[in-house]
Amino acid sequence: MKKLKKEKIAILPYFSTAYPLSLKKIADPPICLYVKGDVTIFNQKDKIYFAIVGTRTPSYYGEQVAKKFSFELAKAGFIIVSGMALGIDALSHWSALNAGGKTIAVLGCGVDIVYPSSNRLLYEKIVNGGGAVVSEFPKGMMVKKGLFIARNRIISGLSRGVLVVEGASDSGSLITASYAADQGREVFAPPAPLTFKQSQAPNILLKQGAKMVTEVSDIFEEFNLKIIPAKKEDLKKSLTSEELSIINLLEQKPLLVDEIVLNSGYVVGKVLNLISVLEIKGVVEKNNEGKYQITFNV
């Protein structure tokens, strides 16, 4: 206990009032949860917990879907739950943070283990930004394949609904969706291109009766909510005049850096600096052609 306290790891036993109420209702709740971050995040009655999961190797389409839904749901006050894996999970966490929202990462190892290690910055942003990293496995427990399957029931158990963005036919995302269905949670999936291997999971779920979503309003409707997502104009108000000038150019079409320089009148260094800032804010990204474009968020 002293070691855990020193490392700022909290323990929530099943009988604790801080233990997530939603998890107490599933068939096999964890005996306890280890938490790094805000332990009060689990039982905020005015919030809706929503899971977004998917493949570690998403297509460009899948990346856009994950960013759009996570950002807009977080803006509307949802707490985004995912597994902090590479790909869709990490994108969902980052988009929630970029929206100024909170997110919960459920690990398949101890909460003191950053896995994958490339997500260290994300881990720190979640822990220090009012979110939480959680696991049922004790400090020091290393990653094992079977543990990821076990953690999936916690992702769905914490959430009111689960959106499966992309995944193959043997994807862990389908396991999460199966847990969600067994737990009485709503399962959602976007329409997905038939030619993508990553489309197999959402298309399987749609065949099985999952709710098809194309906008966040579809999720609000399913939950009988009247939440209105933040208007695009609200985000633009937070940008500087120079940043807005770049956004105005990219709203017309994606551009290379040299093209932005020519059209904006700014020097190369200035453009690169503005682009970097806009990328950090989550409103600009580079597409698979190497051109910069605005995201779904603007």
Side-chain angles (χ1 to χ4, degrees):
M1 290 296 291
K2 288 180 180 178
K3 288 180 180 178
L4 292 172
K5 186 175 182 180
K6 185 177 180 180
E7 295 187 33
K8 297 181 179 179
I9 298 174
I11 302 179
L12 302 183
Y14 179 83
F15 52 80
S16 168
T17 55
Y19 188 96
L21 295 175
S22 57
L23 275 189
K24 287 188 175 183
K25 298 176 182 179
I26 68 174
D28 51 351
I31 294 172
C32 69
L33 292 175
Y34 297 85
V35 183
K36 284 274 285 184
D38 184 5
V39 295
T40 69
I41 195 173
F42 300 107
N43 293 316
Q44 298 183 16
K45 295 181 180 179
D46 61 330
K47 300 293 184 182
I48 292 177
Y49 301 79
F50 192 85
I52 300 179
V53 296
T55 178
R56 288 172 170 77
T57 55
S59 67
Y60 176 70
Y61 169 78
E63 291 177 354
Q64 295 299 293
V65 171
K67 289 179 182 179
K68 170 184 171 65
F69 278 88
S70 181
F71 187 94
E72 294 185 12
L73 288 171
K75 270 291 184 185
F78 282 52
I79 293 177
I80 302 302
V81 183
S82 198
M84 212 179 84
L86 293 175
I88 296 299
D89 289 17
L91 287 169
S92 300
H93 290 306
W94 273 118
S95 294
L97 293 171
N98 289 335
K102 295 182 179 181
T103 184
I104 297 171
V106 185
L107 304 187
C109 55
V111 293
D112 58 321
I113 308 294
V114 180
Y115 183 83
S117 58
S118 57
N119 275 341
R120 176 163 294 280
L121 178 59
L122 173 59
Y123 176 97
E124 292 173 352
K125 288 282 188 181
I126 294 173
V127 170
N128 298 320
V133 174
V134 59
S135 175
E136 68 177 312
F137 306 114
K139 173 182 176 295
M141 176 73 79
M142 298 302 292
V143 174
K144 294 180 182 178
K145 188 174 182 180
L147 303 186
F148 287 108
I149 296 175
R151 73 92 193 260
N152 288 349
R153 83 188 193 288
I154 299 177
I155 292 176
S156 58
L158 284 171
S159 308
R160 186 167 171 181
V162 175
L163 171 64
V164 176
V165 176
E166 280 190 326
S169 58
D170 58 351
S171 170
S173 302
L174 286 176
I175 296 175
T176 306
S178 177
Y179 277 129
D182 291 342
Q183 294 164 350
R185 284 23 174 187
E186 300 293 338
V187 178
F188 302 86
L194 299 178
T195 53
F196 290 178
K197 180 181 179 181
Q198 297 97 319
S199 299
Q200 292 173 341
N203 285 333
I204 287 171
L205 292 173
L206 290 172
K207 284 182 180 179
Q208 293 175 346
K211 168 82 173 182
M212 185 174 75
V213 292
T214 57
E215 297 289 342
V216 293
S217 58
D218 296 324
I219 296 171
F220 300 154
E221 179 182 294
E222 190 69 16
F223 291 156
N224 196 26
L225 299 173
K226 295 183 179 179
I227 299 175
I228 301 174
K231 295 180 180 179
K232 295 178 180 180
E233 290 76 12
D234 294 339
L235 180 59
K236 286 187 176 182
K237 288 178 182 177
S238 68
L239 303 179
T240 67
S241 58
E242 292 176 335
E243 291 166 353
L244 277 173
S245 67
I246 302 297
I247 291 297
N248 291 336
L249 288 174
L250 298 181
E251 281 184 326
Q252 300 173 35
K253 63 178 181 179
L255 297 170
L256 295 168
V257 170
D258 291 346
E259 294 172 325
I260 297 173
V261 171
L262 289 172
N263 286 279
S264 68
Y266 298 135
V267 297
V268 174
K270 182 74 171 179
V271 168
L272 290 174
N273 181 60
L274 288 171
I275 288 293
S276 295
V277 172
L278 289 169
E279 282 187 297
I280 292 171
K281 290 183 177 181
V283 296
V284 163
E285 62 190 358
K286 184 184 288 187
N287 65 22
N288 51 10
E289 296 178 339
K291 295 182 178 182
Y292 286 96
Q293 63 184 28
I294 59 172
T295 68
F296 279 112
N297 309 331
V298 178

